[in-house]
Amino acid sequence: MKQFYAKVISNQRIAPDHFILSFKTPHAMAKKVKPGQFFKIKVNNSSKPLLGRPFSVHKAGNNKIEILYKIVGEATRILSTKKSGNILDILGPLGNGFDTGLSGPAILVGGGHGVAPLVELAKKFANHNIKPVVFIGARTKKHIVCDKDLRKLGAQVHVVTEDGSKGRKGLVTELLKNKITGKNLKKPVTIYACGPKPMLMAVGKLAKDYKIPCRISLEEYMACGIGTCLGCAVKTRGGYKMVCKDGPVFDAKEIVW
Amino acid sequence: MVSLKTTIGKLELKNPVILASGTCGFGKEIKSLIDVNKLGAIVTKTITLNKKEGNPPPRIAETASGLLNSIGLDNDGLKDFLFEKISYLGKLKIPVIVSIAGNTTEEFTKLTKEISKIPCIKGIEINLSCPNVIHKGTKFPLLAQDKKATEAIIAKLRKVTKKTLIAKLSPSVTDIKEIAKAAESGGADAISLVNTYPGMLVDIYTMKPKLGAVTGGLSGPCIKPLALKCVWDAYNTVNIPIIGMGGIMTSGDAIEFILCGASAIQVGTANFVNPKAPLEILEGIKQYLKEKKVNSIKSLIGKLKNNEK
Ligand SMILES: Cc1cc2nc3c(=O)[nH]c(=O)nc-3n(C[C@H](O)[C@H](O)[C@H](O)COP(=O)(O)OP(=O)(O)OC[C@H]3O[C@@H](n4cnc5c(N)ncnc54)[C@H](O)[C@@H]3O)c2cc1C
Ligand SMILES: Cc1cc2nc3c(=O)[nH]c(=O)nc-3n(C[C@H](O)[C@H](O)[C@H](O)COP(=O)(O)O)c2cc1C
Ligand code: FES
């Protein structure tokens, strides 16, 4: 974990509200970053917004990191105006990340901007010659991101939209259920999920019902990002844990919803 | 060479920049980001006698230039502190001040007695002002809103410790002068001002409070003018040193507090915004003294000039 100033390499719109921003990292950092880890980015040096915002690693490359973000408020709006060469104040890499001792097969589930960290995760699987099955849930066709990248990595990608404008109409959890109750499910399989809370809750419940190990990446409001403020608490069976330090990746069955 | 030395009770600090309670944990995580040993002192997260779970999430919400929190004194209690945290704190080369809070006077007393036995602890900050807990010894929402209870509790603790006792007060009072005086009469070596301002925020889409605990404490740049006035009022009332805080982000902010009477300052929310802030503030104070040709920080304390020409 380091605090550093990073040069923006590029910042491109990939969907109506989604952007991919790539920034330079200090020497050797990007190589050590684990999928599921995140960076806290201060988008300007004013006190509005005051705090840096957390963003997952979307892709880690040679001395650069990419994040994929959605504009939802002030900080992400300001971030979307950054140009190549602009400087960002960054803290990271933070959090535990997905375990790297990966074994397949794997099912990846992403909802909304929650697909962002799944690409780096799929890359790690690809390195181990594991081709995961991926379910992406989005509001409409326009909101689907990362599907092409994931396919390139050899993943079998299924898309669901809430309005049916692409792929199946409905929720990712419905497809997930079909998959895990289907005959050709190779076991032991692990589910990795990231997305909005209701989705994670539903995925966690399915995993529990069908006794499948499940890792989920959670989001909470953060102040410090390093475990000192105790602000990003999530209730677990072992009491409150901090999303920034003990997580963001948790064993789904540990979480008390 | 300018002197940055300052005195808080029996404590000689090499400089006036202190890490505020609840914003640096127990010094462990921040050590990979800054050299803590360059600072004046560190105040730990408030500990309580027994483990406290803390408040339900969300515990954090942001507002214009401010941070609202309702951590609820989440901590592992005295035992864990004595067996786990202390081994780490003992390695620091700067004075460690332990912040404590209790539900009853007995709890405060027990905590003070136990902590006084530890040689590496140089001071105790009595948290009389956390907006996220309720104390049994007063009918007020906060101990630090009750001058009698404040004086009584400090007097009691004064009897059981020789360590530097600091009363951490709340700004959410009718008259800070009275409370500051009560802490002084009780025998406090110094007072810390201010803790967070009670506040709340609402999410209009869900029509729910933004904090799980509904209300919380406000900190950060937006409280600075309010905090400065508290320090100024207290400085004009008591003779014990004041540790000023509330929205200090830069050395300029810190100097404002010193001019208003603070003998030292604490950096809180700024640690979350920029972990290097405490070191940058220290450097900035040094530069300011050089520019102003003032050779000791002590000669700056309370030197606010009056408006007449
Ligand atoms: C570990 C972690 C990883 C993340 N990774 C990504 C990522 O890869 N891509 C991405 O687009 N976003 C990610 N986020 C979310 C991102 O941090 C927020 O969208 C961002 O902070 C919003 O800032 P803002 O100022 O634009 O919006 P704000 O004004 O702060 O918020 C706008 C809206 O979003 C909601 N919101 C903001 N933050 C959170 C949160 N932490 N939990 C629940 N609701 C929230 C608010 O309630 C509000 O309705 C991640 C969050 C965490 C904790
Ligand atoms: C997240 C958070 C946790 C805090 N926890 C404590 C605490 O445990 N004990 C305490 O005395 N003050 C606590 N405080 C208050 C700070 O020490 C400080 O008094 C206050 O935040 C004002 O200073 P600032 O504006 O520089 O943050 C906390 C503040 C924040 C933001
Ligand atoms: S953000 Fe401070 S503990 Fe997680």
Side-chain angles (χ1 to χ4, degrees):
Chain A
M1 177 221 317
K2 257 203 179 106
Q3 185 187 7
F4 58 95
Y5 292 101
K7 223 179 217 168
V8 173
I9 300 168
S10 61
N11 189 21
Q12 277 169 338
R13 191 188 291 264
I14 55 156
D17 310 319
H18 292 80
F19 285 73
I20 289 182
L21 182 143
S22 132
F23 61 84
K24 277 202 177 134
T25 57
H27 189 63
M29 177 186 280
K31 266 188 233 143
K32 289 188 204 140
V33 168
K34 288 207 271 177
Q37 284 194 304
F38 64 96
F39 286 84
K40 206 177 99 175
I41 302 181
K42 180 88 176 92
V43 298
N44 58 16
N45 55 10
S46 100
S47 64
K48 223 183 150 215
L50 184 63
L51 299 162
R53 298 290 198 265
F55 298 97
S56 302
V57 172
H58 172 53
K59 285 182 194 166
N62 246 346
N63 296 329
K64 70 167 190 179
I65 295 283
E66 281 180 23
I67 58 161
L68 186 163
Y69 62 96
K70 182 179 181 220
I71 299 183
V72 295
E74 187 65 3
T76 43
R77 192 195 55 74
I78 295 170
L79 199 58
S80 74
T81 65
K82 299 291 165 187
K83 302 244 163 5
S84 160
N86 286 166
I87 303 292
L88 296 171
D89 181 357
I90 301 184
L91 186 67
L94 304 169
N96 57 357
F98 291 102
D99 1 322
T100 40
L102 301 167
S103 62
I107 300 175
L108 276 46
V109 187
H113 70 248
V115 263
L118 300 184
V119 173
E120 185 61 21
L121 182 63
K123 215 164 87 192
K124 284 279 179 319
F125 278 117
N127 293 343
H128 286 69
N129 279 319
I130 299 164
K131 294 184 171 141
V133 176
V134 185
F135 296 107
I136 300 177
R139 268 191 14 243
T140 72
K141 184 178 171 180
K142 281 195 223 148
H143 295 87
I144 300 163
V145 289
C146 304
D147 50 333
K148 288 186 201 82
D149 277 344
L150 287 161
R151 283 200 181 97
K152 263 190 225 149
L153 291 165
Q156 195 191 107
V157 181
H158 304 275
V159 173
V160 197
T161 49
E162 281 170 35
D163 66 350
S165 51
K166 187 163 181 193
R168 279 265 295 266
K169 180 177 172 167
L171 299 170
V172 261
T173 38
E174 294 159 12
L175 276 196
L176 176 66
K177 186 170 176 183
N178 291 346
K179 177 75 193 173
I180 59 183
T181 52
K183 280 193 206 78
N184 47 8
L185 179 72
K186 284 194 209 109
K187 281 200 174 180
V189 66
T190 306
I191 299 173
Y192 299 83
C194 184
K197 237 178 224 165
M199 182 201 101
L200 294 178
M201 223 167 113
V203 171
K205 187 167 182 313
L206 275 177
K208 189 174 161 228
D209 290 350
Y210 295 94
K211 300 199 171 54
I212 297 171
C214 178
R215 314 240 148 231
I216 54 174
S217 179
L218 292 179
E219 291 187 4
E220 228 351 296
Y221 295 94
M222 291 183 176
C224 70
I226 59 172
T228 56
C229 76
L230 310 181
C232 61
V234 55
K235 194 154 199 159
T236 73
R237 286 173 192 281
Y240 283 119
K241 294 241 163 90
M242 297 307 137
V243 171
C244 70
K245 196 181 165 202
D246 307 313
V249 180
F250 292 90
D251 186 336
K253 60 180 193 296
E254 286 301 305
I255 305 300
V256 179
W257 297 102
Chain B
M1 264 299 277
V2 292
S3 165
L4 291 164
K5 281 202 196 105
T6 189
T7 313
I8 303 293
K10 296 161 202 90
L11 268 179
E12 282 289 336
L13 305 186
K14 70 179 173 202
N15 67 62
V17 181
I18 303 172
L19 296 176
S21 178
T23 64
C24 57
F26 296 86
K28 199 169 174 181
E29 293 83 4
I30 49 164
K31 76 154 198 282
S32 50
L33 296 173
I34 60 164
D35 184 356
V36 182
N37 287 326
K38 284 193 172 147
L39 299 172
I42 174 170
V43 187
T44 68
K45 171 78 191 161
T46 298
I47 61 163
T48 51
L49 189 57
N50 300 308
K51 184 181 161 69
K52 232 175 148 290
E53 190 176 42
N55 283 328
R59 293 178 173 184
I60 295 278
E62 193 175 313
T63 184
S65 300
L67 172 65
L68 190 70
N69 88 81
S70 64
I71 309 299
L73 296 190
D74 179 334
N75 83 99
D76 290 330
L78 177 66
K79 263 206 199 105
D80 172 81
F81 179 80
L82 296 175
F83 291 110
E84 299 289 330
K85 309 283 194 299
I86 201 67
S87 59
Y88 181 76
L89 288 166
K91 287 185 200 133
L92 292 177
K93 296 187 186 81
I94 56 169
V96 174
I97 298 167
V98 177
S99 170
I100 62 165
N103 290 321
T104 60
T105 307
E106 290 68 42
E107 285 185 11
F108 269 111
T109 312
K110 176 129 205 258
L111 280 160
T112 305
K113 277 186 181 160
E114 289 299 322
I115 284 161
S116 298
K117 292 179 193 157
I118 312 166
C120 72
I121 305 297
K122 302 296 180 212
I124 303 175
E125 190 176 80
I126 316 295
N127 183 355
L128 302 166
S129 48
C130 180
N132 299 314
V133 287
I134 297 154
H135 188 271
K136 295 206 177 78
T138 175
K139 58 183 192 314
F140 290 84
L142 302 174
L143 260 182
Q145 287 168 337
D146 184 336
K147 63 178 175 187
K148 285 201 183 112
T150 297
E151 182 170 346
I153 204 153
I154 298 290
K156 185 113 194 187
L157 302 182
R158 180 73 285 170
K159 287 200 193 95
V160 300
T161 189
K162 292 199 169 61
K163 306 246 184 204
T164 293
L165 258 190
I166 305 161
K168 182 154 179 188
L169 304 183
S170 170
S172 182
V173 293
T174 318
D175 186 358
I176 191 66
K177 301 193 251 355
E178 285 196 342
I179 311 289
K181 222 184 256 166
E184 184 179 41
S185 315
D189 293 301
I191 54 182
S192 276
L193 262 178
V194 300
N195 208 320
T196 52
Y197 284 78
M200 67 185 290
L201 286 165
V202 175
D203 180 331
I204 61 166
Y205 297 103
T206 60
M207 295 157 112
K208 286 182 185 167
K210 284 197 178 172
L211 293 179
V214 183
T215 64
L218 184 64
S219 64
C222 64
I223 71 168
K224 188 186 78 172
L226 306 164
L228 268 176
K229 175 167 188 300
C230 281
V231 167
W232 173 241
D233 283 347
Y235 178 71
N236 288 306
T237 313
V238 297
N239 295 309
I240 49 176
I242 295 161
I243 303 171
M245 78 198 84
I248 297 180
M249 310 301 283
T250 64
S251 57
D253 297 332
I255 291 159
E256 282 188 72
F257 275 86
I258 294 167
L259 289 171
C260 284
S263 292
I265 56 97
Q266 288 183 16
V267 182
T269 302
N271 294 312
F272 306 147
V273 177
N274 168 20
K276 290 190 201 89
L279 293 177
E280 290 171 7
I281 289 166
L282 179 58
E283 203 45 47
I285 295 175
K286 258 188 237 171
Q287 288 306 324
Y288 177 83
L289 290 180
K290 272 186 207 153
E291 272 165 36
K292 283 272 176 191
K293 299 199 166 49
V294 178
N295 54 20
S296 158
I297 188 96
K298 283 187 180 169
S299 53
L300 212 61
I301 300 168
K303 288 294 147 57
L304 187 70
K305 290 185 181 165
N306 47 31
N307 283 329
E308 304 111 51
K309 276 150 212 122

